[in-house]
Amino acid sequence: MRRTALAALCLAAAATAGLTGCLPGSDSADGKPKGPFAGLTGGEIADRAMKATTGATSLRLTGDVPDDESSGTIRIDMALNKKGECAGTMAMGGQGKAQLIKTGDTVYMKYDEAFLRAQGKGDSTSDTDAVVAMMAGKWTKMSAKGKDAKDIAGFCDLNTVLGDTRDLNSDATRSTTTTLDGTPAIVLHEKDGKDLYTLYVATQGKPYLLKITSTSKKDPGTLTFGDYEQRVPADKPQGKVLDLDALGS
């Protein structure tokens, strides 16, 4: 998984900061915004949302993001925090699914057969069959500091995923209000040429990002954000765990 693709969508507001093209907003006739965040422009709301989101110590990401390596899509459902812990699943464009847990300096993964066969394209049938027999449906572990796990370990760090986005100076415009999974939200728009980014920001409690959608040809997709400040269930798997580092030594 490439962090660049995930970050580009995750931080759509940052990527479009400073743009001049905007969609019509929903301000009142006197030019002053009404309703939630009264008196604030869309850009000011977006800036507050990114500060609140990057200030969270943990959250959950769910959605579809492009994968540079396969030119396909990765479906993720991952809880992660600023301690570098994560727990969740990733699916490769309908080609199987893998479970992931990172705690401490160890990355644990469990792959289904479809995932392993998709990753084994180009290998001999006998080699792929052997990998499936050894690993399918079983927990494995690797050192988070090893080259094979480094990219995944980086993704599990919320600081790395969100990056430094506290000062955006966004040009987002206000749109309608809505409700996402029971949470009242305001809709914001950012536009870069033909690319449109839509942000949903909570209007009650902290102004957390709830969802970002992108129509960018480079990084299309949708991510939802939730479970802010909740414990990440990054618990070591029970039972036998296959040590991949020992096998490769």
Side-chain angles (χ1 to χ4, degrees), residues 66-133:
D67 177 46
D68 293 345
E69 292 183 355
S70 67
S71 298
T73 301
I74 300 174
R75 175 73 180 178
I76 63 169
D77 184 351
M78 198 74 59
L80 59 160
N81 61 28
K82 290 184 175 178
K83 296 178 181 179
E85 298 175 322
C86 70
T89 61
M90 62 178 70
M92 303 290 290
Q95 297 181 322
K97 183 167 66 174
Q99 292 176 253
L100 167 66
I101 295 172
K102 178 183 175 291
T103 181
D105 290 328
T106 304
V107 172
Y108 299 91
M109 296 194 74
K110 182 164 69 174
Y111 314 87
D112 65 15
E113 181 175 344
F115 188 99
L116 292 171
R117 292 197 180 281
Q119 297 300 303
K121 287 182 179 179
D123 297 337
S124 68
T125 300
S126 59
D127 285 346
T128 300
D129 287 345
V131 170
V132 168

Side-chain angles (χ1 to χ4, degrees), residues 197-226:
Y197 303 91
T198 304
L199 291 73
Y200 299 78
V201 178
T203 59
Q204 292 183 356
K206 291 187 177 181
Y208 289 130
L209 277 175
L210 301 178
K211 184 167 74 171
I212 295 178
T213 63
S214 167
T215 63
S216 166
K217 290 184 178 180
K218 181 180 179 181
D219 293 300
T222 299
L223 277 180
T224 59
F225 301 70

Side-chain angles (χ1 to χ4, degrees), residues 114-223:
F115 188 99
L116 292 171
R117 292 197 180 281
Q119 297 300 303
K121 287 182 179 179
D123 297 337
S124 68
T125 300
S126 59
D127 285 346
T128 300
D129 287 345
V131 170
V132 168
M134 179 177 64
M135 296 174 58
K138 302 172 184 177
W139 279 107
T140 67
K141 69 177 181 179
M142 299 178 288
S143 168
K145 298 179 180 179
K147 63 178 182 179
D148 292 333
K150 189 175 295 184
D151 287 344
I152 294 174
F155 167 68
C156 285
D157 187 345
L158 187 56
N159 282 311
T160 300
V161 171
L162 294 181
D164 185 9
T165 58
R166 290 182 177 275
D167 299 311
L168 299 182
N169 297 317
S170 171
D171 282 343
T173 58
R174 298 169 61 110
S175 185
T176 59
T177 56
T178 187
T179 301
L180 290 178
D181 295 328
T183 302
I186 188 169
V187 183
L188 307 175
H189 294 296
E190 290 266 12
K191 194 175 183 181
D192 181 10
K194 295 182 179 180
D195 296 338
L196 175 65
Y197 303 91
T198 304
L199 291 73
Y200 299 78
V201 178
T203 59
Q204 292 183 356
K206 291 187 177 181
Y208 289 130
L209 277 175
L210 301 178
K211 184 167 74 171
I212 295 178
T213 63
S214 167
T215 63
S216 166
K217 290 184 178 180
K218 181 180 179 181
D219 293 300
T222 299
L223 277 180

